[in-house]
């Protein structure tokens, strides 16, 4: 079970201040005007009510057994009946793509023109969520049985704690409060989002079928510092690790570091070391660092990548790094409690942590968050 912040402090542990950004809106955005959004809605309690995942991660895209979701009765109702209602009642909104997963739903929505007076995107999402909840309620006892069956199939666990509908109890909402939206402003970003949505079943099955390559740990102690982690944890145990650390400018010439002959020689040396099995460790902050790490990931070389963004329970990396994790070539670490006053200080703080990681194979999972 999770422990309280006060209990962590009593044990001498520094609590991780989680950034709760799931439901924040962009204050500068007018959600009643034209815009393109990816909207994510999560089922309350993350119960897998929309269906089950099937398929094989080893088959080619387009094959019948390529990873996909088999929708439940509720999932089919939402896809075939509830989603079309958005455009029916609000013709200003086009549904460009929908990606359903067992416990959440991604929608790619294009607001083509100004919405009716007093209406914002949030009002439409709220109405859609209400319609989905009513569809769930309408399934009645059949829906409750389906809930238990889907939970058992998806998690191989029990249906304990799953809401069961009753006429004597206030009917619960199907979804968590609020929703997450991502504003899409560039064509390249749009293509990335569309691939992300399409690849959701593949990524989910990869995490399930390759658990040793897709480990998630919310509290890991390496040396004297605490981290959250995602990816190939076994890379920490490699004795041969080398830090990739470059300043933005070369002290001798004043040129950007990546433009110097010395950098080009050192970059190639480090990549050759990695080709021989040495793990490269870096936050990849400066351009010189980033060029080495990007090339290493591209070639499938072993990398431990530190990032300043927190890793939380449902966090997952973008496609390129996710695929590197799946190949067993990448571990992503997010240090707890970064408190540097500036980007420059954070650059040095992350690189100091990278140096410590290179000097130790001492890593321990700390069970303070209920996840081991």
């Amino acid at each position: 079970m999770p422990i309280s912040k006060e209990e962590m402090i009593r044990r001498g542990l520094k609590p991780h201040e989680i950034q709760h950004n799931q439901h924040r809106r962009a204050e500068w955005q007018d959600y009643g005007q034209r815009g393109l959004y990816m909207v994510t809605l999560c089922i309350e309690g993350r119960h897998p009510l929309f269906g089950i995942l099937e398929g094989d991660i080893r088959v080619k895209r387009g094959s019948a057994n390529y990873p996909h979701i088999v929708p439940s009765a509720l999932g089919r109702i939402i896809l075939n009946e509830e989603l079309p209602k958005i455009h029916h009642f609000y013709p200003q909104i086009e549904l460009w793509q929908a990606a359903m997963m067992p416990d959440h739903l991604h929608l790619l929505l294009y607001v083509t023109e100004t919405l009716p007076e007093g209406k914002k995107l949030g009002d439409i999402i709220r109405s859609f969520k209400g319609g989905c909840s009513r569809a769930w309620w309408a399934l009645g006892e059949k829906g409750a049985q389906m809930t238990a069956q889907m939970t058992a199939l998806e998690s191989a666990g029990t249906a304990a704690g799953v809401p069961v509908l009753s006429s004597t109890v206030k009917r619960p909402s199907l979804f968590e409060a609020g929703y997450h939206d991502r504003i899409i402003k560039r064509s390249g970003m749009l293509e990335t989002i569309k691939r992300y949505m399409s690849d959701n079943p593949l990524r989910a099955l990869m995490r399930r079928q390759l658990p040793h390559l897709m480990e998630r740990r919310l509290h890991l102690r390496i040396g004297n510092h605490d981290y959250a982690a995602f990816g190939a944890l076994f890379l920490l145990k490699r004795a041969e690790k080398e830090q990739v650390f470059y300043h933005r400018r070369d002290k001798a010439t004043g040129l950007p570091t990546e433009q110097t002959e010395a950098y080009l020689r050192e970059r190639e040396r480090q990549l050759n070391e990695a080709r021989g099995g040495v793990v490269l460790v870096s936050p990849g902050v400066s351009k010189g660092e980033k060029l080495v790490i990007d090339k290493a990931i591209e070639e499938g070389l072993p990398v431990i990548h530190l990032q300043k963004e927190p890793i939380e329970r449902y966090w997952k990396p973008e496609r390129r790094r996710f695929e590197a994790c799946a190949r067993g070539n990448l571990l992503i670490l997010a240090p707890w409690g970064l408190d540097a006053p500036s980007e420059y200080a954070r650059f040095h703080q992350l690189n100091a942590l990278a140096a410590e990681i290179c000097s130790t194979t001492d890593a321990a999972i700390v069970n303070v968050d209920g996840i081991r």
Side-chain angles (χ1 to χ4, degrees):
M1 294 293 292
I3 68 172
S4 67
K5 180 177 180 180
E6 290 73 22
E7 175 64 12
M8 290 180 68
I9 294 172
R10 188 184 68 78
R11 296 184 188 181
L13 301 173
K14 187 173 182 179
H16 180 30
E17 297 297 337
I18 295 174
Q19 302 294 319
H20 292 287
N21 58 6
Q22 179 74 358
H23 301 141
R24 290 181 181 172
R25 305 277 79 80
E27 294 180 359
W28 64 88
Q29 181 74 8
D30 186 344
Y31 286 89
Q33 301 297 317
R34 291 183 63 189
L36 181 59
Y37 308 90
M38 184 181 80
V39 171
T40 301
L41 307 170
C42 298
I43 292 177
E44 180 66 44
R46 289 282 185 151
H47 298 298
L49 307 187
F50 289 155
I52 57 174
L53 289 170
E54 291 187 354
D56 188 335
I57 62 175
R58 297 166 296 183
V59 304
K60 292 183 178 180
R61 188 184 299 273
S63 303
N65 203 33
Y66 190 76
H68 60 281
I69 186 172
V70 179
S72 64
L74 176 61
R76 291 194 297 272
I77 290 172
I78 290 174
L79 290 173
N80 300 327
E81 299 179 21
E82 295 303 321
L83 278 176
K85 290 179 182 178
I86 295 178
H87 182 68
H88 175 77
F89 289 108
Y90 296 94
Q92 303 89 349
I93 298 181
E94 296 178 358
L95 174 64
W96 280 13
Q97 188 173 337
M100 179 172 279
M101 292 293 284
D103 63 356
H104 64 276
L105 178 65
H106 296 299
L107 305 176
L108 188 57
L109 298 173
Y110 180 38
V111 181
T112 62
E113 57 184 283
T114 303
L115 294 173
E117 186 175 354
K119 293 294 183 181
K120 305 288 185 182
L121 180 65
D123 300 310
I124 284 79
I125 298 301
R126 192 177 304 110
S127 297
F128 170 72
K129 290 171 67 176
C132 293
S133 291
R134 287 188 292 274
W136 181 45
W137 302 337
L139 290 172
E141 286 306 314
K142 181 180 178 181
Q145 294 168 11
M146 175 202 69
T147 295
Q149 291 167 0
M150 288 298 168
T151 300
L153 285 169
E154 189 68 17
S155 61
T158 68
V162 177
V164 176
L165 305 182
S166 169
S167 59
T168 61
V169 178
K170 181 181 178 181
R171 291 179 169 181
S173 171
L174 175 62
F175 294 102
E176 290 180 352
Y179 65 93
H180 174 74
D181 72 80
R182 187 168 183 181
I183 305 168
I184 302 169
K185 295 187 175 180
R186 304 184 307 274
S187 59
M189 184 178 178
L190 172 60
E191 293 308 311
T192 299
I193 291 293
K194 290 168 74 173
R195 286 196 302 271
Y196 171 86
M197 292 171 66
S198 299
D199 287 345
N200 250 357
L202 172 63
R203 288 194 303 271
L205 283 183
M206 287 172 73
R207 290 197 302 273
R208 184 180 302 171
Q209 296 178 14
L210 302 171
H212 63 296
L213 304 180
M214 297 289 188
E215 294 193 72
R216 184 196 308 273
R217 293 290 181 265
L218 298 188
H219 195 166
L220 185 72
R221 184 162 299 145
I222 305 169
N224 298 316
H225 294 88
D226 297 327
Y227 301 82
F230 184 97
L233 280 177
F234 60 81
L235 292 177
L236 286 169
K237 295 298 183 182
R238 296 265 189 96
E240 292 186 295
K241 297 191 285 288
E242 179 171 338
Q243 182 181 8
V244 178
F245 177 28
Y246 296 100
H247 286 281
R248 289 178 171 85
R249 289 193 173 272
D250 180 66
K251 292 183 179 179
T253 65
L255 293 171
T257 297
E258 65 278 3
Q259 295 179 12
T260 65
E261 290 294 329
Y263 168 79
L264 294 175
R265 289 194 299 271
E266 183 66 4
R267 174 176 178 263
E268 192 56 32
R269 183 195 67 78
Q270 289 186 316
L271 290 171
N272 281 330
E273 291 287 335
R275 292 172 187 128
V278 174
V279 181
L280 301 182
V281 183
S282 179
V285 175
S286 70
K287 187 172 181 180
E289 294 170 3
K290 189 174 187 302
L291 287 171
V292 176
I293 294 304
D294 285 351
K295 181 63 174 176
I297 291 176
E298 178 187 325
E299 288 192 22
L301 306 178
V303 170
I304 296 176
H305 189 198
L306 285 83
Q307 66 176 34
K308 62 183 180 180
E309 295 79 15
I311 293 174
E312 300 172 355
R313 189 175 297 269
Y314 298 111
W315 179 91
K316 48 185 176 290
E318 77 285 356
R319 182 179 184 176
R320 180 180 67 102
R321 290 195 299 165
F322 187 94
E323 291 175 350
C325 291
R327 293 191 297 266
N329 300 325
L330 178 63
L331 172 65
I332 303 168
L333 296 176
W336 284 28
L338 279 179
D339 55 1
S342 67
E343 284 297 317
Y344 185 73
R346 187 177 291 112
F347 164 76
H348 281 283
Q349 190 174 17
L350 286 169
N351 272 295
L353 294 173
E356 181 182 48
I357 290 168
C358 287
S359 66
T360 183
T361 58
D362 177 25
I365 297 169
V366 182
N367 188 31
V368 299
D369 47 37
I371 294 183
R372 293 192 68 87

